[in-house]
Amino acid sequence: MARRSSPLSKQSGANHMTADAKLMKLAAKMGVFDRFKDMQGVLRPTSPDTARALLRAQGVAASTEREVSEALAAFKAGAAQSILSDDVVVTAGKASVLPIHLPGHRSLSQPVEWQVTREQTGALLAEGRAGPDVELPALPLGVHQFHISTGAITRSVNLLAAPERAPSLPDVAGQDKTWGVMTALYGLQGAVPKALGDFDDLGAFAEAFGAMGAGFLGINPVHALGYAAHDTISPYSPTHRGFLNSDHIAFDGAEHEATTGALVDYAAHRATQRPALERAFAGFQSTASAQDRAAFKRFCEMAGPRLEDFAVFETLSEAHGPDWRCWPAALRYGECTEVAPDRVLFHKWLQWQADRQLGAAQQRAKSSGMALGLYLDLAVGARAGGAESWGQTAAAAKGVTLGAPPDHLSPAGQNWQLAALDPSKLQKTGYAALRHVLRAAMRHSGLLRIDHALGLSRSYWIPEDGSPGGYIRQNFDALTAVIAIEAARSDTVVVGEDLGLVPKGFRSAMAARGFYGYSVLQYEKDAEGVFLPISRLRAQSLACFGTHDTPTLAGFWEGHDIAWWEKLGWITRNEAERVANTRLTEKRALVGIPAPAPLPPAATPGLRDTVHVSLAGAPAALVAVQLDDIVLTKEAQNLPGTVTEHPNWRRRTTVAAADLAARPEVVKTAEIMKGAGRANALQRTDHDTSNC
């Protein structure tokens, strides 16, 4: 098929080159990479079509040479008024000095007048007159506004007063090392048989593991999937990351239907749970106590306009579907107010119930002795067409989705169908949309994982018009400052998922801000593909054997993932044999059994314990073990690249909360971690008899 032509490409020779050069100059000013290096080390240039699409996504018209010239002229005019960058990052609680640079390196002809106003309230924090430098006093945490003028030049920018470092494990927990368990909320089994795990089950599991010395319990994201998104089950494809998944709201146990089978039945759960919630809401409206009504009102006031927008979206989606891009034109941009008030109130009430129950689970976790409590997961983005990209307060780029470039695993690249946040919109709104999402994620967590942390430095945008994808530069300093601010406010430790190919210096910059890295044993290899010694793991990291996207320990040992690849036709039989031979070498390195000593054909309790002993003794401050690995489950929670072919996001746990303390493999894992000095403070105190 012939490649589509563009107004710029119809010009001749030298003029064409000049036009494209102007286009790429404009694109560079808007953060578009002119090229990137793929997994094979090959430099891939950004095409003019891609540059135009990524500019258009940020609201910059660049379809013709005239539009490009006008946009460049606007940049030049803006530079003539530039005194400071769009964002200023300072250390909260410490005085600082900001040098003022006039355009063209001109010297100041008159004093600078400046003010700092507090975030949200606009109250005056500081003001003054200065020469070439502005001396700021110590400022409180926050994304404030800095207003400055000299002569005819006036400028207002974000002033981010952030802690030097985000909270550390010793800051929050009072200990240098801890451990925790990772599991899937949807698959948890509590005291009452249910079709889907809920927040009450979460609290029960947290109590059980806390009593055994675990410092945290980690789960999949619990973002809102969308009331009308009947086919959506992936926790990494939410409608909005600033609100909670109402599927996990616990309801009256008498209304549960007994469930059997190894897989979660979302449809059956919703068919039972939603009518029960409707009845509970009707009861609240008619018989709620004054105390409960007041608590609900406070919640709505605290959540503010964003909760209102979300509830309106959910109400509209019930009539028009979960993707606002398919709605009638009059409803697509958040300007409709003609919705049923009671239905809007119902969706607010659902969020209140979910928030209360998640908060209760965190309280149970902390009361059990967990140093951190819940370890929650912030997905990389929300679904394109979902609630997070709808409305006047959204900060989504237009006409693009998030993904990853082609590599040896995905020759066609990956399109995650997630909305991308526009750096310029974020900056202009004081990062309000991001701060809302972070506050929601940190509200009931002591530990937060940020999925695909590379997105804090650069994002791969895929145009919906069919143009190739390209990278957009993000404001790393500002984004990490915002995360550190919100983490300090909520006393949350932050883990940045930094797997894969990241820019030089990225991991050290993340560590300098206080974020913990992510060390997955299956990926910790040298340039020749050999596993690194456990002693080489980063101290400032969370170490684990695998994740929801990798094979379990039993699956890894038996090559179950390789069998799936062959079954799906991703690799041939010969390729599967080559991968299996490589896996054989990896298994020997993992457990220290050199050839020609035989290896057990299946994962054994002793083999599992060997891996957990290695993890427990690692220098990493945080260690996570998967419940699936403790009980030697073979099937993974998710097989990337599949939707329905593999039982993704549907597998139940094989052990109930009430049975954990009696399971020898669970007790043995806790003993291994305690022996390595990772038990929580309460468990150490309860069982320490050295002074008796």
Side-chain angles (χ1 to χ4, degrees), residues 241 306 378 388 393 395 421 426 429-441 450 456 475 478-483 486:
R241 295 172 298 163
R306 290 185 185 275
L378 179 64
E388 194 173 328
T393 58
L421 292 179
L426 282 175
T429 57
Y431 298 89
L434 175 63
R435 291 159 65 198
H436 168 67
V437 165
L438 289 168
R439 287 181 182 179
I450 296 179
L456 300 174
N475 192 332
L479 294 178
T480 54
V482 168
I483 295 170
E486 298 304 334

Side-chain angles (χ1 to χ4, degrees), residues 100-154:
I100 306 302
H101 302 290
L102 291 180
H105 303 285
R106 293 183 286 113
S107 60
L108 288 169
S109 59
Q110 51 190 299
V112 170
E113 295 183 354
W114 59 270
Q115 287 186 336
V116 179
T117 53
R118 184 185 286 273
E119 62 177 359
Q120 296 182 321
T121 67
L124 183 66
L125 285 175
E127 63 180 341
R129 289 169 62 88
D133 296 333
V134 171
E135 297 183 2
L136 292 175
L139 296 170
L141 282 174
V143 182
H144 311 302
Q145 286 293 300
F146 184 61
H147 314 280
I148 185 169
S149 62
T150 176
I153 301 178
T154 301

Side-chain angles (χ1 to χ4, degrees), residues 410-648:
S410 301
Q414 299 178 62
N415 189 337
W416 301 328
Q417 296 297 331
L418 300 175
L421 292 179
D422 181 344
S424 59
K425 285 183 180 178
L426 282 175
Q427 184 274 322
K428 289 174 183 175
T429 57
Y431 298 89
L434 175 63
R435 291 159 65 198
H436 168 67
V437 165
L438 289 168
R439 287 181 182 179
M442 295 176 178
R443 179 170 163 80
H444 300 304
S445 64
L447 184 62
L448 179 70
R449 173 184 178 270
I450 296 179
D451 191 24
H452 190 61
L454 175 60
L456 300 174
S457 175
R458 65 187 188 190
S459 301
Y460 191 76
W461 288 7
I462 302 173
E464 293 177 350
D465 67 1
S467 303
Y471 274 107
I472 287 282
R473 181 173 290 103
Q474 301 287 342
N475 192 332
F476 178 83
D477 289 341
L479 294 178
T480 54
V482 168
I483 295 170
I485 289 169
E486 298 304 334
R489 283 174 165 160
S490 61
D491 221 17
T492 301
V493 178
V494 177
V495 174
E497 188 268 280
D498 53 3
L499 302 177
L501 199 63
V502 298
K504 184 178 181 180
F506 176 80
R507 291 190 175 96
S508 59
M510 291 280 285
R513 182 53 89 178
F515 303 151
Y516 288 73
Y518 204 51
S519 298
V520 180
L521 291 191
Q522 294 181 52
Y523 297 142
E524 292 289 328
K525 302 175 182 178
D526 61 20
E528 278 69 47
V530 178
F531 280 129
L532 294 172
I534 203 77
S535 60
R536 294 275 300 276
L537 296 186
R538 291 169 287 169
Q540 192 174 317
S541 73
L542 180 143
C544 54
F545 172 75
T547 75
H548 55 269
D549 282 338
T550 70
T552 63
L553 178 57
F556 175 89
W557 196 264
E558 297 178 36
H560 193 55
D561 55 324
I562 303 171
W564 266 106
W565 298 342
E566 185 181 358
K567 176 182 177 181
L568 294 171
W570 294 353
I571 57 176
T572 65
R573 179 61 187 162
N574 288 339
E575 290 169 332
E577 290 176 354
R578 286 197 295 271
V579 176
N581 286 332
T582 300
R583 179 68 55 83
L584 183 64
T585 302
E586 292 176 336
K587 290 192 294 185
R588 290 189 180 281
L590 181 66
V591 295
I593 300 178
L599 293 175
T604 64
L607 185 150
R608 174 203 59 220
D609 293 344
T610 297
V611 173
H612 286 170
V613 166
S614 293
L615 278 172
L622 300 157
V623 163
V625 296
Q626 294 193 94
L627 181 57
D628 286 342
D629 291 342
I630 295 176
V631 298
L632 293 177
T633 299
K634 187 164 68 172
E635 198 70 74
Q637 289 293 340
N638 179 53
L639 181 61
T642 64
V643 179
T644 59
E645 303 92 333
H646 181 272
N648 296 338

Side-chain angles (χ1 to χ4, degrees), residues 124-458:
L124 183 66
L125 285 175
E127 63 180 341
R129 289 169 62 88
D133 296 333
V134 171
E135 297 183 2
L136 292 175
L139 296 170
L141 282 174
V143 182
H144 311 302
Q145 286 293 300
F146 184 61
H147 314 280
I148 185 169
S149 62
T150 176
I153 301 178
T154 301
R155 187 102 158 101
S156 293
V157 301
N158 297 316
L159 196 159
L160 298 91
E164 287 189 40
R165 297 171 59 86
S168 67
L169 176 61
D171 292 337
V172 176
Q175 58 191 90
D176 295 328
K177 292 185 177 182
T178 191
W179 74 287
V181 178
M182 299 295 298
T183 190
L185 174 55
Y186 49 83
L188 295 186
Q189 297 187 53
V192 178
K194 304 170 187 174
L196 189 82
D198 59 35
F199 293 129
D200 185 58
D201 298 327
L202 177 61
F205 270 78
E207 282 182 331
F209 281 118
M212 287 185 277
F216 59 88
L217 176 63
I219 55 172
N220 49 277
V222 288
H223 311 311
L225 295 185
Y227 206 75
H230 305 297
D231 297 328
T232 300
I233 64 173
S234 170
Y236 291 93
S237 185
T239 186
H240 202 308
R241 295 172 298 163
F243 298 97
L244 295 171
N245 184 356
S246 59
D247 285 340
H248 296 302
I249 297 174
F251 59 104
D252 187 352
E255 301 188 52
H256 285 286
E257 294 181 1
T259 56
T260 59
L263 299 181
V264 167
D265 187 340
Y266 287 87
H269 168 73
R270 290 165 180 167
T272 303
Q273 185 223 32
R274 290 186 175 184
L277 294 178
E278 298 268 5
R279 291 190 292 272
F281 174 64
F284 171 82
Q285 286 185 299
S286 60
T287 63
S289 67
Q291 184 178 6
D292 280 349
R293 291 182 187 276
F296 180 40
K297 182 180 179 181
R298 286 194 301 272
F299 173 79
C300 293
E301 290 172 345
M302 177 197 69
R306 290 185 185 275
L307 175 60
E308 178 74 22
D309 287 349
F310 176 76
V312 169
F313 179 94
E314 290 285 81
T315 302
L316 289 171
S317 72
E318 291 187 81
H320 303 288
D323 189 332
W324 63 261
R325 297 170 299 178
C326 302
W327 292 359
L331 304 179
R332 292 178 190 168
Y333 301 104
E335 298 174 351
C336 173
T337 57
E338 296 181 6
V339 288
D342 278 357
R343 201 61 187 172
V344 172
L345 194 66
F346 171 67
H347 287 294
K348 291 181 180 180
W349 180 85
L350 287 179
Q351 287 303 306
W352 179 51
Q353 291 297 309
D355 180 78
R356 292 176 75 184
Q357 292 188 13
L358 182 59
Q362 171 66 339
Q363 183 57 50
R364 292 171 71 178
K366 299 282 282 187
S367 296
S368 74
M370 282 189 167
L372 299 171
L374 299 181
Y375 172 31
L376 300 186
D377 199 346
L378 179 64
V380 66
R383 245 182 2 258
E388 194 173 328
S389 63
W390 179 79
Q392 302 304 305
T393 58
K398 296 181 179 180
V400 294
T401 53
L402 287 173
D407 57 32
H408 63 283
L409 294 176
S410 301
Q414 299 178 62
N415 189 337
W416 301 328
Q417 296 297 331
L418 300 175
L421 292 179
D422 181 344
S424 59
K425 285 183 180 178
L426 282 175
Q427 184 274 322
K428 289 174 183 175
T429 57
Y431 298 89
L434 175 63
R435 291 159 65 198
H436 168 67
V437 165
L438 289 168
R439 287 181 182 179
M442 295 176 178
R443 179 170 163 80
H444 300 304
S445 64
L447 184 62
L448 179 70
R449 173 184 178 270
I450 296 179
D451 191 24
H452 190 61
L454 175 60
L456 300 174
S457 175
R458 65 187 188 190

